[in-house]
Amino acid sequence: MTLVLALAMAVLLAAAVPIAHSMLLAAAAAILTRQPSALLVIPQQLMQAMQTFPLVAIPFFILAGALMLSGRMGEHLMAFASGIVGRHRGGLAQASVVAATVFGGVSGSAVAAASALGATMIPWQRREGYPAPFCAALNSTAATIDILIPPSIPLILYALVSNVSIGALFFAGILPGLALMVGFLALCGWLARRRGYPRGAGSQVPLGRAFWYASPALAMPVFIVVTLRFGLVTPTEIAVLAVAYALVVSGLVYRDLSWGRVRAALVAAATTTGVVMLVIMAAGPAGWIMTFERIHVLFTEWALAVLQEKWLIILAMNLVMLAVGTFLDLPPAILLLGPVFVPLAQAIGLDLVQLGVMMVLNLAIGLYTPPVGTTLFVSCAIAKVRMGDTIRDLVPFFLFSLGLLALVSYVPALTLK
Amino acid sequence: MRLAAAAHWLEDAIGRACAAAAVALGVAIFALMLLGIAGRHVLSRGLPAVTELPEQLFGWFVMASIVLAARTGAHVAVEFLALRAGPVWRHRLGMLAQCLTVVLCATVVWTVARVAAIAGGDRSPILGIPTLHFHLALALGFGLVGVLALCALARGAARERP
């Protein structure tokens, strides 16, 4: 059944059938080849995901991010980011990186960050004389910092397949996220000096005041991590409280709350939730087939027998994830690879929190790797440039991310618990 | 052209209804969960009924969101091969994807009906709500996604006519 599942899915994906639909159709085809009566597994698996209540954290984290980024809070975060680095050579490029990091504290989706940041930063950078391919490459790579800084939707999905604490994963993502930010800042500075990119004018608002205005938004990731870390609330509760916080701050501090904005944010959050939830639901039948045929057990036994060494197995896992991430979006890749890699990681003594951060960092690279890269696609559309033209500008960011991935894979201390 | 216009009207109606449902359910789940948190942390006692109701509504919110995403064409596909094809083949691939979506949705609705006949008598532990409503949400959601795919097929067929 698994072979039919894989082949059918490959054909359907190539025919541009939506990923979740491909997974369900391939699962149905695989079940029909072996035991047609088992087709009833499909609605049972779909229903199981619908009834997994901890997933309610996903729409509410998305909603909190949408509420914060669509109002004045987003503008203040941007002003703060450009205030920190905006005056240096290449400062406007570095502002994108800082903004992606601070936006990461309120949004849990790289694609949302790429759209929100790109819509403001790319036209601004273009006006200042930055080349369009560089702007697109920078925006698509910087946006991936977002999913390592809590809250993070991919880390919640990984928690779902691995049974690891969401709080531990959020905490572990912070250091790699900040390392990615520092590395990208250094790369922007170096590239700006080499290529003669302009100095920015900086923010019109003094840095201290910009920090003060942005502080309610900057406090949110701290609030999330601290409350989860000390077990004061559950992940679903903190997601709801994040929305309440966004509403209170928008209404009382920034005074830009309106029913129209709340409704638009709710519809946007529901649409994104629909995409993610259908993929989660569709992964159920495929996962059932793989469990039924003990694929994860067979794969673990095979990997241990053939590769033997821990470092080699970690390398192989990374290579598989890089290959899959190039063609598949992040949520389905986590949901399909997670159940296979988690038992293997346990067998070789690799910490599951470390595997989670490694997986998200690895698959995030796929978000800006052609031919299928969601943040790259969004950024290219905003910068009005072809994907192929960005490759030269993507290479430095790609190499740095690979270096950091190697460190996260082999240095457990980088994923704090 | 009439068929295409009717399909467009139906798609819009489904989109608007699902957006309204998602907003109403989102607000209800948020309010109930906030009440539950207040009960647990402020009043130091759990409110079981208030905790269970959002769990029951979540399934409907998910299905409304899935239909809304289908209406806006937000469900992600791997399109790099299709984009390399000419406009005629791209159109045909699009039509094929919609046909397969209709088949998928019909299969899900049919199997949900069969599962509901077997397991639909269960009830939720606190409020005693029949879990049959989850089956209904799933069938209705996939049914509407199927209708949207049929509408897209109708629009596509109308475009093909000379």
Side-chain angles (χ1 to χ4, degrees):
Chain A
M1 281 198 289
T2 307
L3 187 64
V4 177
L5 175 80
L7 286 175
M9 214 174 119
V11 171
L12 291 166
L13 287 176
V17 176
I19 294 171
H21 300 193
S22 301
M23 286 159 85
L24 281 172
L25 284 163
I31 290 170
L32 283 173
T33 58
R34 171 88 179 255
Q35 203 177 352
S37 62
L39 213 55
L40 298 188
V41 162
I42 291 178
Q44 284 167 351
Q45 291 292 323
L46 292 173
M47 211 112 63
Q48 199 175 335
M50 261 170 78
Q51 291 172 301
T52 309
F53 192 62
L55 292 176
V56 82
I58 293 175
F60 285 115
F61 274 134
I62 296 173
L63 178 60
L67 280 170
M68 287 189 164
L69 299 187
S70 62
R72 277 194 205 129
M73 200 186 287
E75 291 166 22
H76 288 306
L77 280 176
M78 207 82 86
F80 172 64
S82 59
I84 291 179
V85 286
R87 289 181 196 281
H88 304 291
R89 183 170 291 283
L92 203 50
Q94 290 177 324
S96 275
V97 178
V98 176
T101 311
V102 293
F103 269 45
V106 292
S107 146
S109 152
V111 181
S115 323
L117 282 175
T120 310
M121 297 303 287
I122 291 177
W124 190 2
Q125 287 161 350
R126 293 287 294 124
R127 277 198 304 275
E128 297 289 325
Y130 286 82
F134 175 78
C135 298
L138 172 66
N139 191 62
S140 61
T141 50
T144 59
I145 299 172
D146 185 297
I147 50 176
L148 287 163
I149 305 289
S152 160
I153 305 300
L155 285 175
I156 295 176
L157 292 181
Y158 174 76
L160 178 76
V161 295
S162 65
N163 281 326
V164 173
S165 143
I166 293 177
L169 284 166
F170 278 4
F171 195 63
I174 296 173
L175 202 54
L178 293 178
L180 209 54
M181 179 194 80
V182 172
F184 283 0
L185 282 176
L187 272 176
C188 286
W190 178 66
L191 288 170
R193 277 193 299 277
R194 258 177 74 107
R195 298 178 184 175
Y197 292 156
R199 279 176 189 279
S203 171
Q204 304 293 320
V205 187
L207 186 59
R209 201 183 301 168
F211 174 75
W212 177 246
Y213 288 156
S215 56
L218 295 171
M220 194 162 115
V222 180
F223 174 59
I224 290 172
V225 170
V226 169
T227 49
L228 280 178
R229 193 77 198 133
F230 292 102
L232 302 175
V233 287
T234 64
T236 51
E237 287 177 343
I238 193 64
V240 170
L241 289 175
V243 173
Y245 179 78
L247 288 171
V248 169
V249 169
S250 282
L252 300 181
V253 180
Y254 296 111
R255 295 179 184 278
D256 61 349
L257 192 66
S258 65
W259 170 242
R261 204 159 76 76
V262 173
R263 194 187 180 284
L266 258 165
V267 171
T271 307
T272 312
T273 303
V275 176
V276 177
M277 280 303 299
L278 187 59
V279 171
I280 294 172
M281 289 163 75
W288 179 85
I289 290 171
M290 290 199 279
T291 310
F292 186 77
E293 296 199 324
R294 298 174 63 245
I295 294 301
H296 56 285
V297 178
L298 297 173
F299 181 76
T300 303
E301 285 171 0
W302 174 84
L304 290 173
V306 175
L307 300 170
Q308 293 176 349
E309 298 288 334
K310 182 179 176 179
W311 72 269
L312 211 53
I313 293 174
I314 293 175
L315 179 67
M317 280 202 260
N318 273 313
L319 291 176
V320 170
M321 286 191 278
L322 280 171
V324 170
T326 306
F327 293 95
L328 217 52
D329 206 20
L330 214 147
I334 289 177
L335 293 166
L336 288 176
L337 293 177
V340 180
F341 283 173
V342 165
L344 182 57
Q346 283 170 322
I348 61 169
L350 176 68
D351 187 82
L352 291 187
V353 172
Q354 187 185 353
L355 174 68
V357 177
M358 186 176 111
M359 191 175 258
V360 171
L361 182 60
N362 186 315
L363 295 171
I365 294 173
L367 291 177
Y368 55 84
T369 313
V372 184
T374 339
T375 60
L376 183 61
F377 182 77
V378 168
S379 307
C380 286
I382 298 171
K384 295 184 180 69
V385 65
R386 288 188 312 164
M387 267 197 195
D389 297 337
T390 60
I391 290 173
R392 180 174 153 263
D393 293 289
L394 281 169
V395 169
F397 297 100
F398 184 77
L399 291 177
F400 179 79
S401 299
L402 282 183
L404 183 65
L405 175 63
L407 280 174
V408 167
S409 303
Y410 294 105
V411 184
L414 273 176
T415 44
L416 298 173
K417 284 208 294 175
Chain B
M1 288 308 283
R2 258 190 180 171
L3 185 66
H8 195 75
W9 179 86
L10 190 57
E11 284 173 322
D12 260 3
I14 292 172
R16 271 199 297 270
C18 286
V23 168
L25 289 163
V27 170
I29 294 171
F30 171 71
L32 286 165
M33 285 187 70
L34 213 53
L35 202 63
I37 295 168
R40 199 159 81 82
H41 294 281
V42 182
L43 307 175
S44 303
R45 64 189 171 96
L47 303 168
V50 174
T51 313
E52 199 185 73
L53 207 50
E55 292 176 16
Q56 301 296 314
L57 294 177
F58 183 55
W60 286 91
F61 175 79
V62 167
M63 290 320 298
S65 302
I66 288 172
V67 181
L68 192 59
R71 168 66 188 107
T72 50
H75 290 299
V76 187
V78 179
E79 287 179 321
F80 74 97
L81 279 179
L83 290 174
R84 279 162 196 262
V88 175
W89 274 101
R90 207 179 307 160
H91 178 70
R92 284 177 187 164
L93 275 177
M95 297 288 271
L96 175 69
Q98 299 297 350
C99 285
L100 289 171
T101 302
V102 173
V103 172
L104 169 70
C105 293
T107 309
V108 171
V109 171
W110 175 67
T111 50
V112 167
R114 290 193 61 192
V115 170
I118 302 164
D122 298 345
R123 286 177 178 272
S124 70
I126 298 162
L127 295 170
I129 300 169
T131 54
L132 190 68
H133 77 93
F134 282 117
H135 298 84
L136 185 64
L138 192 61
L140 188 64
F142 272 90
L144 288 175
V145 173
V147 171
L148 287 174
L150 280 172
C151 290
L153 278 172
R155 282 192 290 109
R159 229 181 71 194
E160 263 181 5
R161 270 184 221 145

